[in-house]
Amino acid sequence: MRRRRVLRLLVPLFALAACAPPQDTAGSAPSPVRRFAAADREAAPDLAGTALDGGRIRLSDYRGKVVVLNVWAAWCGPCRAEAPELSEAQRHLAAKGVQVLGVDTDADRSQGRAFAGDHRLAYPSLHDPGSRQLVHRLPAKYQTSTLPYTLFIDRDGKVAAQGLVRLSEADVRTITRPLLAEKTHRTR
């Protein structure tokens, strides 16, 4: 009986630890937000597939906007805490040219749908079980094993920053502000 109580306390802690940022080889946590100079940015993969609501999503359809690509799973506590903040960011920044786009990594689409409904997500989410598209297509310097994580993609479709922790609406505003001020290099 006592063992069960201890296990009930430890299981959520292990789940939260799985969401924490990885440690580097020196034992210190990485910076929570990595920014990349324009010359060092690489193209984001053109993720495409079915949204949680059944529609089609293609990342390149948002070219010309600053995209906040948030990778999450329904079981991840920090992802749950972050979702309302990202919805607020979408509501307040959409008119300025920012698009929040989720990537649900849950194996079962119904878990992602429940998460989106529970949190009233104000943005679409691509269903990518186990991050298969991201794992195979994301440049190595942007890959991580932590959740949640967020890629900030500039108007040209290149990864400009990466958030490795739960972000607030204020964080999203701070990171997107200089990206919105950048001139696009894309020809129209």
Side-chain angles (χ1 to χ4, degrees), residues 8-32:
R8 272 190 248 146
L9 291 172
L10 290 178
V11 168
L13 291 175
F14 288 131
L16 285 175
C19 295
Q23 298 287 317
D24 68 14
T25 55
S28 62
S31 170

Side-chain angles (χ1 to χ4, degrees), residues 7 10 14 18 21 27 29 43 50 53 79 86 88 91-92 106 114 124 129 131 135 140 152-153 165-167 178 186:
L7 283 174
L10 290 178
F14 288 131
T50 306
D53 67 4
C79 300
L86 294 175
E88 285 302 307
R91 283 190 271 279
H92 293 126
D106 290 302
S131 289
V135 167
F152 292 83
I153 302 168
V165 294
R166 178 175 65 94
L167 299 171
R186 189 172 159 232

Side-chain angles (χ1 to χ4, degrees), residues 30-150:
S31 170
V33 176
R34 296 172 44 201
R35 298 173 196 266
F36 303 99
D40 297 329
R41 296 176 189 169
E42 293 184 44
D46 189 17
L47 303 177
T50 306
L52 291 175
D53 67 4
R56 300 290 298 163
I57 289 182
R58 174 170 233 100
L59 182 58
S60 60
D61 289 345
Y62 299 102
R63 192 74 41 87
K65 294 185 177 205
V66 172
V67 176
V68 179
L69 186 71
N70 178 254
V71 183
W72 58 270
W75 53 263
C76 172
C79 300
R80 290 180 164 281
E82 181 179 59
E85 296 285 329
L86 294 175
S87 284
E88 285 302 307
Q90 176 61 39
R91 283 190 271 279
H92 293 126
L93 298 173
K96 294 182 179 183
V98 174
Q99 174 63 55
V100 177
L101 181 62
V103 178
D104 167 33
T105 64
D106 290 302
D108 184 350
R109 183 185 304 270
S110 66
Q111 292 172 326
R113 279 192 200 127
F115 178 96
D118 290 348
H119 296 286
R120 296 184 187 112
L121 297 185
Y123 52 90
S125 288
L126 171 71
H127 185 237
D128 184 20
S131 289
R132 284 191 289 256
Q133 281 195 65
L134 281 175
V135 167
H136 295 300
R137 300 175 73 195
L138 190 65
K141 76 179 184 181
Y142 305 125
Q143 290 192 15
T144 181
S145 60
T146 185
L147 286 177
Y149 73 93
T150 306

